[in-house]
Amino acid sequence: MLNRTASAAAAAVPRPGATVDIRYGRVGAPAEVYRLLVLESRPEAVVTLQPRTPISEPLVADGMTILEPGSPVIWFTYPGKWHDIGLFHRTNGALTGLYANILTPVEFVDERSWATTDLCLDVWVPRWGPVRLLDEDELARAERGGRLEQGTAGRARAEARTLMRAHRAGAWPPPETERWSLARALETCRRM
């Protein structure tokens, strides 16, 4: 997948209130399309809401359910970066933590459609507890199986290490993740 330059991506950044369909590829699996509502849009970051996560089973890390089917997620997408960030919630609205997907930089195809490929690794920052790297085994299997080239796998590992080091140093996640709560996201949706 070719990625647009930063200036081309900025031209395709959607306006608040728009919906965006993101074609989300997974290594070794068919792509899925998710619809997101744009809450805030700047050239350096787009904040979206996925009101009901279309997963069929709960997502669990360290024995704790971190995302349930139908629960809301606030997403932060960064043009040119090899990750996005989701604020994960339970169906009752309780924040469980921050989840960074390591992925190819999002291609801003146009104002209403994006595309990216998940690169298996995830960085999980629970509401209480230390930062964790998830799915290393999944990345290793994809690499061994020839579904992900070595250079891309290395780039994914480097991105995850960078985020984890920055978190431990107090320099990540970016401040906008603290400015957005589920209450603010829902209120923004009501006003749109």
Side-chain angles (χ1 to χ4, degrees):
M1 176 185 314
L2 295 176
N3 292 295
R4 295 173 172 232
T5 65
S7 61
V13 170
R15 70 187 188 313
T19 57
V20 172
D21 290 333
I22 183 167
R23 184 178 183 280
Y24 198 84
R26 298 189 194 288
V27 174
E32 297 181 64
V33 177
Y34 299 106
R35 179 156 287 170
L36 308 172
L37 177 64
V38 179
L39 303 173
E40 181 179 75
S41 185
R42 295 175 286 119
E44 62 276 1
V46 179
V47 182
T48 57
L49 175 66
Q50 187 174 34
R52 297 181 46 81
T53 303
I55 57 176
S56 57
E57 296 179 17
L59 184 58
V60 176
D62 294 331
M64 181 180 110
T65 298
I66 63 173
L67 189 65
E68 297 171 312
S71 59
V73 178
I74 300 169
W75 290 105
F76 301 84
T77 302
Y78 302 96
K81 301 228 177 190
W82 285 73
H83 71 278
D84 67 6
I85 297 174
L87 296 180
F88 279 14
H89 299 81
R90 304 283 299 263
T91 53
N92 66 4
L95 176 68
T96 59
L98 181 144
Y99 192 91
N101 291 301
I102 307 302
L103 42 73
T104 59
V106 172
E107 179 183 358
F108 291 74
V109 178
D110 58 42
E111 287 188 12
R112 296 199 178 264
S113 56
W114 300 346
T116 189
T117 300
D118 186 293
L119 298 176
C120 305
L121 288 180
D122 304 294
V123 175
W124 170 240
V125 182
R127 194 163 170 204
W128 296 282
V131 63
R132 291 272 328 274
L133 181 62
L134 305 177
D135 302 325
E136 291 175 275
D137 56 338
E138 187 181 332
L139 177 65
R141 279 194 307 274
E143 195 174 16
R144 280 193 310 273
R147 294 184 310 275
L148 191 60
E149 64 184 46
Q150 189 175 10
T152 303
R155 182 64 181 89
R157 287 184 183 97
E159 184 73 8
R161 281 191 306 269
T162 298
L163 296 182
M164 292 179 71
R165 272 194 307 271
H167 182 269
R168 290 182 183 121
W172 185 84
E176 63 266 12
T177 62
E178 303 226 356
R179 290 194 300 264
W180 280 93
S181 65
L182 185 56
R184 179 183 177 194
L186 295 175
E187 178 58 29
T188 300
C189 288
R190 276 191 282 276
R191 286 191 321 244
M192 291 181 170

